Amino acid sequence: MSDFRDGIAAPFDPGLFFAMARKVGHGRALGLEYRAHGDNWVELALPWRPELVSFPDDGIMATGAIVSLVDTCSGTSVWTALGGFRPAVTLDLRLDYLRPAARGETVIARCECYKITRKVAFVRGVAHGGDESRPIAHSAATFVSVD
């Protein structure tokens, strides 16, 4: 395994990445939206849609869709902190759910890569419905560099 910072060829632009990722595969199926980023953080949104609901009578968004949003946002924050794309794998992802995502609520994830070692990147995050003081979930994740 190589170090996280090895092999980075070009700067990473999360906005440009999601313009492409929304057109194919998982990004297209979920409808993830890029919102903003900084040196080591990224913010993505997952708009509510009937296809993402786990309980049709209640309109509550499926937790799997929220996990995918947070995992994608977390990994993207690693690339942003590195300054370039580097293959990485989710080693661990923990979500502490505090409340359900209600009918019509867009879920916003903001994840920050706060530490990178030679092999592991550490990320923390929050998912909310537009009001950060009323979180849906808190997250902690680690990613490992791969060859």
Side-chain angles (χ1 to χ4, degrees), residues 93-147:
L93 175 62
R94 175 189 169 123
L95 264 72
D96 294 325
Y97 282 96
L98 306 173
R99 67 175 185 85
R103 181 184 309 276
E105 188 172 32
T106 293
V107 180
I108 300 164
R110 182 182 173 113
C111 297
E112 170 195 16
C113 179
Y114 64 92
K115 172 82 174 168
I116 299 175
T117 68
R118 289 183 58 233
K119 302 286 183 202
V120 180
F122 299 85
V123 179
R124 60 183 154 227
V126 64
H128 58 85
D131 178 359
E132 291 182 46
S133 70
R134 220 176 139 246
I136 293 168
H138 287 137
S139 68
T142 52
F143 291 80
V144 65
S145 164
V146 295
D147 292 319

Side-chain angles (χ1 to χ4, degrees), residues 2-114:
S2 62
D3 287 354
F4 249 121
R5 298 189 191 275
D6 290 347
I8 296 173
F12 178 73
D13 180 340
L16 186 59
F17 173 76
F18 278 98
M20 183 275 307
R22 273 187 60 87
K23 296 177 184 175
V24 296
H26 201 127
R28 180 174 158 199
L30 286 174
L32 298 178
E33 297 177 354
Y34 166 80
R35 291 179 53 106
H37 77 278
D39 290 341
N40 67 339
W41 61 269
V42 173
E43 192 173 274
L44 302 177
L46 177 61
W48 185 93
R49 294 192 336 266
E51 304 91 327
L52 302 177
V53 168
S54 57
F55 299 104
D57 292 341
D58 296 331
I60 293 172
M61 189 181 291
T63 56
I66 297 169
V67 168
S68 293
L69 166 69
V70 172
D71 187 38
T72 301
C73 191
S74 295
T76 306
S77 76
V78 172
W79 299 330
T80 302
L82 287 169
F85 178 80
R86 176 81 180 106
V89 174
T90 307
L91 185 62
D92 184 48
L93 175 62
R94 175 189 169 123
L95 264 72
D96 294 325
Y97 282 96
L98 306 173
R99 67 175 185 85
R103 181 184 309 276
E105 188 172 32
T106 293
V107 180
I108 300 164
R110 182 182 173 113
C111 297
E112 170 195 16
C113 179
Y114 64 92

